[in-house]
Amino acid sequence: MGVVNVTPDSFSDGGRWYEPAAAVAHARELLADGADLLDVGGESTRPGALRVPVDEERRRVLPVIAELASAGAVVSVDTTRARVAADAVAAGAHVINDVSGGLADPDMYRVVAETGAVYVAMHWRGHADVMDSLATYDDVVLDVRDELAQRLDALVGAGADPAQVVLDPGLGFAKPGSDNWPLLAHLDVLAALGRPVLVGASRKRFLGHLLADADGRPAPPERRDGATAAVSALAAAAGAWCVRVHDVAGSADAVRVADAWAAARADAHGSGGAHGSGGTHASGGRSGGRSGGTVDPSGTVGTGTGAAGAPRQDGEHGV
Protein backbone atom coordinates (compact mmCIF):
# COMPACT_ATOMS: atom_id res chain seq x y z
CA MET A 1 0.00 0.00 0.00
CA GLY A 2 1.54 3.25 -1.15
CA VAL A 3 0.95 6.41 0.89
CA VAL A 4 -0.37 9.49 -0.92
CA ASN A 5 -0.49 12.40 1.52
CA VAL A 6 -2.59 15.27 0.18
CA THR A 7 -1.72 17.40 3.21
CA PRO A 8 0.45 20.46 3.88
CA ASP A 9 1.74 19.12 7.22
CA SER A 10 2.70 15.49 6.74
CA PHE A 11 5.36 14.30 9.16
CA SER A 12 7.04 12.28 6.44
CA ASP A 13 7.11 14.37 3.28
CA GLY A 14 6.38 17.96 4.30
CA GLY A 15 3.38 18.49 2.05
CA ARG A 16 5.22 17.74 -1.18
CA TRP A 17 2.08 16.20 -2.71
CA TYR A 18 -0.46 18.73 -1.41
CA GLU A 19 -1.69 19.90 -4.80
CA PRO A 20 -3.92 17.38 -6.64
CA ALA A 21 -1.75 17.24 -9.75
CA ALA A 22 1.35 16.57 -7.64
CA ALA A 23 -0.49 13.89 -5.64
CA VAL A 24 -1.66 12.10 -8.77
CA ALA A 25 1.82 12.23 -10.30
CA HIS A 26 3.32 10.84 -7.09
CA ALA A 27 0.70 8.08 -6.98
CA ARG A 28 1.61 7.04 -10.51
CA GLU A 29 5.24 6.82 -9.44
CA LEU A 30 4.24 4.58 -6.53
CA LEU A 31 2.36 2.31 -8.91
CA ALA A 32 5.42 2.12 -11.16
CA ASP A 33 7.49 1.21 -8.09
CA GLY A 34 5.21 -1.73 -7.34
CA ALA A 35 2.29 -0.47 -5.25
CA ASP A 36 -0.93 -2.46 -5.63
CA LEU A 37 -3.05 -0.11 -3.54
CA LEU A 38 -2.88 3.67 -3.13
CA ASP A 39 -3.93 5.14 0.24
CA VAL A 40 -5.04 8.75 -0.25
CA GLY A 41 -5.33 10.88 2.89
CA GLY A 42 -6.26 14.51 3.42
CA GLU A 43 -5.74 14.91 7.16
CA SER A 44 -2.47 14.46 9.02
CA THR A 45 -2.51 12.10 11.99
CA ARG A 46 0.99 12.95 13.22
CA PRO A 47 1.28 13.54 16.99
CA GLY A 48 -0.22 16.90 17.94
CA ALA A 49 -1.88 17.49 14.57
CA LEU A 50 -5.11 19.50 14.61
CA ARG A 51 -8.20 18.42 12.71
CA VAL A 52 -9.15 19.98 9.39
CA PRO A 53 -12.75 20.86 8.43
CA VAL A 54 -14.60 18.03 6.70
CA ASP A 55 -15.16 20.05 3.53
CA GLU A 56 -11.44 20.79 3.30
CA GLU A 57 -10.62 17.11 3.69
CA ARG A 58 -13.10 16.30 0.90
CA ARG A 59 -11.62 19.01 -1.31
CA ARG A 60 -8.17 17.51 -0.91
CA VAL A 61 -8.86 13.85 -1.51
CA LEU A 62 -11.89 13.44 -3.79
CA PRO A 63 -10.35 14.79 -7.04
CA VAL A 64 -7.24 12.66 -6.51
CA ILE A 65 -9.26 9.52 -5.79
CA ALA A 66 -11.53 10.08 -8.79
CA GLU A 67 -8.64 10.56 -11.20
CA LEU A 68 -6.68 7.56 -9.94
CA ALA A 69 -9.73 5.30 -9.88
CA SER A 70 -10.73 6.33 -13.39
CA ALA A 71 -7.26 5.28 -14.53
CA GLY A 72 -7.78 1.82 -13.06
CA ALA A 73 -5.86 2.11 -9.79
CA VAL A 74 -7.07 0.36 -6.65
CA VAL A 75 -7.59 3.22 -4.21
CA SER A 76 -8.04 3.48 -0.45
CA VAL A 77 -9.23 6.58 1.39
CA ASP A 78 -7.43 7.33 4.65
CA THR A 79 -10.12 9.00 6.77
CA THR A 80 -11.92 8.80 10.10
CA ARG A 81 -15.05 10.56 8.79
CA ALA A 82 -18.08 8.70 7.48
CA ARG A 83 -19.04 11.45 5.05
CA VAL A 84 -15.58 11.51 3.49
CA ALA A 85 -15.55 7.72 3.32
CA ALA A 86 -18.93 7.56 1.57
CA ASP A 87 -17.98 10.25 -0.92
CA ALA A 88 -14.64 8.55 -1.60
CA VAL A 89 -16.30 5.22 -2.36
CA ALA A 90 -18.71 7.03 -4.68
CA ALA A 91 -15.65 8.56 -6.38
CA GLY A 92 -14.12 5.12 -6.96
CA ALA A 93 -12.30 4.07 -3.76
CA HIS A 94 -12.44 0.36 -2.95
CA VAL A 95 -11.08 0.57 0.61
CA ILE A 96 -11.80 2.74 3.67
CA ASN A 97 -8.72 2.97 5.88
CA ASP A 98 -9.88 4.35 9.24
CA VAL A 99 -7.18 4.95 11.85
CA SER A 100 -9.88 5.33 14.52
CA GLY A 101 -11.42 1.93 13.85
CA GLY A 102 -14.81 3.63 13.76
CA LEU A 103 -14.52 5.31 17.15
CA ALA A 104 -14.17 8.84 15.76
CA ASP A 105 -17.47 8.87 13.86
CA PRO A 106 -20.56 6.90 14.92
CA ASP A 107 -21.82 6.81 11.32
CA MET A 108 -18.73 5.03 9.96
CA TYR A 109 -19.97 1.47 10.48
CA ARG A 110 -23.22 2.29 8.68
CA VAL A 111 -21.22 3.53 5.68
CA VAL A 112 -19.10 0.38 5.75
CA ALA A 113 -22.18 -1.84 5.80
CA GLU A 114 -24.03 0.15 3.10
CA THR A 115 -21.12 0.49 0.67
CA GLY A 116 -19.65 -2.97 1.18
CA ALA A 117 -16.18 -1.48 0.88
CA VAL A 118 -13.16 -3.22 2.36
CA TYR A 119 -12.60 -1.60 5.76
CA VAL A 120 -9.31 -1.32 7.65
CA ALA A 121 -10.05 -0.99 11.37
CA MET A 122 -6.99 0.29 13.21
CA HIS A 123 -6.41 0.12 16.95
CA TRP A 124 -6.93 3.66 18.28
CA ARG A 125 -7.67 5.39 21.55
CA GLY A 126 -7.88 9.07 20.68
CA HIS A 127 -7.05 11.81 18.22
CA ALA A 128 -3.50 12.96 17.49
CA ASP A 129 -3.55 15.80 20.01
CA VAL A 130 -4.28 13.49 22.97
CA MET A 131 -3.16 10.00 21.95
CA ASP A 132 0.21 10.07 23.71
CA SER A 133 -1.59 10.48 27.05
CA LEU A 134 -3.56 7.28 26.45
CA ALA A 135 -0.62 4.88 26.09
CA THR A 136 -1.22 2.67 29.14
CA TYR A 137 -1.48 -1.11 28.81
CA ASP A 138 -1.45 -4.18 31.03
CA ASP A 139 -0.22 -6.31 28.12
CA VAL A 140 -0.01 -4.36 24.88
CA VAL A 141 -0.48 -7.38 22.61
CA LEU A 142 -3.49 -8.80 24.44
CA ASP A 143 -5.03 -5.37 25.07
CA VAL A 144 -4.77 -4.41 21.40
CA ARG A 145 -6.16 -7.79 20.36
CA ASP A 146 -9.12 -7.46 22.71
CA GLU A 147 -9.91 -3.90 21.63
CA LEU A 148 -9.73 -4.85 17.96
CA ALA A 149 -12.03 -7.80 18.66
CA GLN A 150 -14.52 -5.30 20.08
CA ARG A 151 -14.28 -3.24 16.89
CA LEU A 152 -14.88 -6.34 14.79
CA ASP A 153 -17.92 -7.31 16.86
CA ALA A 154 -19.32 -3.78 16.57
CA LEU A 155 -18.87 -3.80 12.80
CA VAL A 156 -20.70 -7.09 12.44
CA GLY A 157 -23.40 -5.82 14.77
CA ALA A 158 -23.87 -2.81 12.49
CA GLY A 159 -24.42 -5.05 9.48
CA ALA A 160 -20.92 -5.28 7.99
CA ASP A 161 -19.70 -8.58 6.58
CA PRO A 162 -16.64 -9.85 8.50
CA ALA A 163 -15.08 -10.59 5.10
CA GLN A 164 -14.86 -6.83 4.50
CA VAL A 165 -12.64 -6.22 7.52
CA VAL A 166 -8.87 -5.89 7.83
CA LEU A 167 -7.26 -5.27 11.23
CA ASP A 168 -4.32 -2.93 11.94
CA PRO A 169 -2.47 -2.88 15.31
CA GLY A 170 -2.00 0.90 15.04
CA LEU A 171 1.75 1.12 15.48
CA GLY A 172 2.70 4.43 17.10
CA PHE A 173 -0.87 5.45 17.91
CA ALA A 174 -1.14 5.75 21.70
CA LYS A 175 1.88 3.47 21.92
CA PRO A 176 5.38 4.41 23.13
CA GLY A 177 8.29 3.06 21.15
CA SER A 178 8.85 -0.02 23.28
CA ASP A 179 5.24 -1.17 22.84
CA ASN A 180 5.47 -1.40 19.06
CA TRP A 181 7.99 -4.22 18.91
CA PRO A 182 5.88 -6.79 20.81
CA LEU A 183 2.98 -6.05 18.45
CA LEU A 184 5.19 -6.70 15.44
CA ALA A 185 6.64 -9.82 17.02
CA HIS A 186 3.18 -11.26 17.72
CA LEU A 187 1.15 -10.52 14.61
CA ASP A 188 -0.11 -14.08 14.89
CA VAL A 189 -2.08 -13.10 17.99
CA LEU A 190 -3.98 -10.50 15.96
CA ALA A 191 -4.35 -12.84 12.99
CA ALA A 192 -6.01 -15.36 15.31
CA LEU A 193 -9.07 -13.08 15.24
CA GLY A 194 -9.62 -14.50 11.78
CA ARG A 195 -9.08 -11.39 9.69
CA PRO A 196 -6.14 -10.18 7.56
CA VAL A 197 -3.64 -7.84 9.20
CA LEU A 198 -2.25 -4.60 7.80
CA VAL A 199 1.07 -3.30 9.16
CA GLY A 200 1.83 0.43 9.00
CA ALA A 201 5.32 0.96 10.39
CA SER A 202 6.65 3.23 7.67
CA ARG A 203 8.96 6.00 8.91
CA LYS A 204 7.41 6.03 12.36
CA ARG A 205 8.94 7.41 15.53
CA PHE A 206 9.88 4.08 17.04
CA LEU A 207 12.09 3.40 14.01
CA GLY A 208 13.66 6.83 14.35
CA HIS A 209 14.56 6.08 17.97
CA LEU A 210 15.96 2.68 17.02
CA LEU A 211 18.25 4.39 14.51
CA ALA A 212 19.26 7.29 16.78
CA ASP A 213 22.77 8.71 16.41
CA ALA A 214 25.48 8.64 19.07
CA ASP A 215 23.99 11.74 20.72
CA GLY A 216 20.57 10.15 20.95
CA ARG A 217 18.96 12.18 18.17
CA PRO A 218 16.34 10.09 16.34
CA ALA A 219 16.93 9.47 12.67
CA PRO A 220 14.78 11.80 10.53
CA PRO A 221 11.86 10.26 8.61
CA GLU A 222 13.72 10.06 5.30
CA ARG A 223 16.43 7.94 6.94
CA ARG A 224 13.95 5.33 8.18
CA ASP A 225 13.16 3.68 4.84
CA GLY A 226 15.74 0.91 5.20
CA ALA A 227 14.33 -0.05 8.60
CA THR A 228 10.82 0.14 7.14
CA ALA A 229 11.79 -2.30 4.40
CA ALA A 230 13.17 -4.68 7.04
CA VAL A 231 9.86 -4.53 8.90
CA SER A 232 8.03 -5.16 5.61
CA ALA A 233 10.03 -8.32 4.97
CA LEU A 234 9.48 -9.61 8.49
CA ALA A 235 5.78 -8.74 8.42
CA ALA A 236 5.38 -10.53 5.08
CA ALA A 237 7.13 -13.58 6.46
CA ALA A 238 4.80 -13.48 9.47
CA GLY A 239 1.75 -13.55 7.20
CA ALA A 240 0.67 -9.89 7.08
CA TRP A 241 -1.83 -9.18 4.32
CA CYS A 242 -0.49 -5.71 3.54
CA VAL A 243 2.27 -3.27 4.42
CA ARG A 244 1.58 0.45 4.21
CA VAL A 245 4.69 2.37 3.17
CA HIS A 246 5.99 5.65 1.79
CA ASP A 247 8.95 4.16 -0.14
CA VAL A 248 7.23 1.46 -2.19
CA ALA A 249 10.24 0.25 -4.17
CA GLY A 250 12.26 -0.78 -1.11
CA SER A 251 9.38 -2.59 0.56
CA ALA A 252 8.27 -4.27 -2.68
CA ASP A 253 11.79 -5.72 -3.00
CA ALA A 254 11.73 -6.73 0.68
CA VAL A 255 8.42 -8.56 0.25
CA ARG A 256 9.78 -10.37 -2.82
CA VAL A 257 12.70 -11.55 -0.69
CA ALA A 258 10.31 -12.75 2.02
CA ASP A 259 8.21 -14.59 -0.55
CA ALA A 260 11.25 -16.29 -2.09
CA TRP A 261 12.49 -17.26 1.37
CA ALA A 262 9.10 -18.70 2.34
CA ALA A 263 8.84 -20.60 -0.94
CA ALA A 264 12.27 -22.16 -0.47
CA ARG A 265 11.43 -23.23 3.09
CA ALA A 266 8.14 -24.74 1.95
CA ASP A 267 9.83 -26.65 -0.87
CA ALA A 268 12.56 -27.88 1.46
CA HIS A 269 9.95 -29.29 3.82
CA GLY A 270 7.98 -30.94 1.07
CA SER A 271 4.84 -28.91 1.59
CA GLY A 272 4.21 -28.68 -2.13
CA GLY A 273 3.34 -24.98 -2.00
CA ALA A 274 5.08 -21.64 -2.12
CA HIS A 275 3.41 -20.37 1.04
CA GLY A 276 2.16 -21.82 4.26
CA SER A 277 -0.76 -19.52 5.00
CA GLY A 278 -1.56 -15.87 4.71
CA GLY A 279 1.51 -14.81 2.69
CA THR A 280 1.66 -11.42 1.03
CA HIS A 281 2.16 -10.92 -2.69
CA ALA A 282 4.98 -9.04 -4.36
CA SER A 283 3.21 -9.02 -7.69
CA GLY A 284 -0.24 -9.56 -9.06
CA GLY A 285 -3.27 -8.22 -10.85
CA ARG A 286 -5.45 -5.21 -10.17
CA SER A 287 -8.99 -5.41 -8.87
CA GLY A 288 -11.85 -3.79 -10.75
CA GLY A 289 -15.24 -2.33 -9.89
CA ARG A 290 -16.18 0.91 -8.17
CA SER A 291 -17.39 -0.04 -4.72
CA GLY A 292 -17.92 -2.92 -2.39
CA GLY A 293 -15.66 -5.82 -1.76
CA THR A 294 -14.18 -8.46 0.46
CA VAL A 295 -10.68 -9.33 1.47
CA ASP A 296 -9.01 -12.60 2.30
CA PRO A 297 -5.72 -13.32 4.10
CA SER A 298 -3.96 -14.31 0.89
CA GLY A 299 -3.86 -10.68 -0.16
CA THR A 300 -6.83 -10.65 -2.52
CA VAL A 301 -9.24 -7.73 -2.67
CA GLY A 302 -12.54 -8.56 -4.36
CA THR A 303 -14.52 -5.55 -5.54
CA GLY A 304 -17.85 -4.69 -7.05
CA THR A 305 -19.03 -7.62 -9.11
CA GLY A 306 -16.54 -10.02 -7.58
CA ALA A 307 -13.51 -9.41 -9.76
CA ALA A 308 -10.34 -9.94 -7.78
CA GLY A 309 -6.71 -9.05 -7.91
CA ALA A 310 -3.74 -9.35 -5.58
CA PRO A 311 -2.81 -5.86 -4.49
CA ARG A 312 0.45 -4.71 -2.96
CA GLN A 313 -0.16 -1.79 -0.57
CA ASP A 314 0.84 2.28 1.14
CA GLY A 315 -1.43 7.15 3.35
CA GLU A 316 -0.50 9.37 6.24
CA HIS A 317 -0.56 7.58 9.53
CA GLY A 318 2.01 9.97 10.83
CA VAL A 319 3.42 8.82 14.11
Side-chain angles (χ1 to χ4, degrees):
M1 176 185 273
V3 178
V4 183
N5 293 322
V6 194
T7 59
D9 54 348
S10 166
F11 88 100
S12 63
D13 50 33
R16 293 171 63 191
W17 325 119
Y18 181 46
E19 295 301 324
V24 170
H26 179 56
R28 293 182 184 277
E29 291 174 352
L30 296 177
L31 289 173
D33 285 341
D36 293 292
L37 178 63
L38 298 170
D39 195 31
V40 180
E43 182 177 56
S44 176
T45 53
R46 61 180 173 77
L50 299 177
R51 305 222 66 189
V52 302
V54 63
D55 285 340
E56 173 62 14
E57 186 181 355
R58 293 174 67 252
R59 184 196 68 78
R60 293 176 182 181
V61 302
L62 294 180
V64 176
I65 290 170
E67 184 166 349
L68 292 172
S70 67
V74 182
V75 182
S76 168
V77 60
D78 179 3
T79 186
T80 63
R81 289 174 163 133
R83 181 183 173 193
V84 176
D87 289 346
V89 172
H94 297 93
V95 181
I96 300 167
N97 187 13
D98 180 0
V99 302
S100 80
L103 294 175
D105 189 331
D107 288 332
M108 182 63 85
Y109 292 169
R110 174 186 58 79
V111 169
V112 174
E114 290 178 355
T115 63
V118 172
Y119 180 69
V120 180
M122 197 193 80
H123 178 265
W124 184 87
R125 287 183 168 179
H127 287 290
D129 57 340
V130 298
M131 65 180 176
D132 284 348
S133 66
L134 304 173
T136 302
Y137 301 89
D138 292 326
D139 181 308
V140 68
V141 175
L142 298 183
D143 290 354
V144 168
R145 178 201 64 187
D146 291 347
E147 290 172 38
L148 284 175
Q150 292 171 10
R151 297 299 94 222
L152 183 58
D153 289 344
L155 279 156
V156 174
D161 184 338
Q164 292 174 245
V165 182
V166 174
L167 301 176
D168 180 343
L171 301 174
F173 284 82
K175 298 170 188 73
S178 59
D179 279 345
N180 294 285
W181 296 109
L183 287 167
L184 285 169
H186 297 287
L187 293 176
D188 58 316
V189 174
L190 302 183
L193 294 174
R195 300 311 309 139
V197 175
L198 180 148
V199 173
S202 185
R203 297 181 178 175
K204 290 189 173 177
R205 285 184 297 179
F206 74 99
L207 296 179
H209 288 293
L210 177 72
L211 305 175
D213 64 20
D215 295 324
R217 289 186 294 269
E222 63 273 13
R223 285 205 54 249
R224 303 172 191 173
D225 286 338
T228 298
V231 172
S232 293
L234 293 168
W241 169 75
C242 171
V243 289
R244 180 184 182 279
V245 298
H246 299 84
D247 173 39
V248 167
S251 279
D253 287 349
V255 170
R256 290 187 181 96
V257 169
D259 272 351
W261 192 303
R265 285 181 59 86
D267 288 345
H269 288 85
S271 68
H275 295 275
S277 62
T280 58
H281 292 263
S283 62
R286 307 284 180 204
S287 54
R290 285 196 58 196
S291 64
T294 58
V295 60
D296 68 60
S298 71
T300 299
V301 172
T303 61
T305 60
R312 293 181 296 262
Q313 286 88 9
D314 187 38
E316 153 68 293
H317 295 185
V319 292

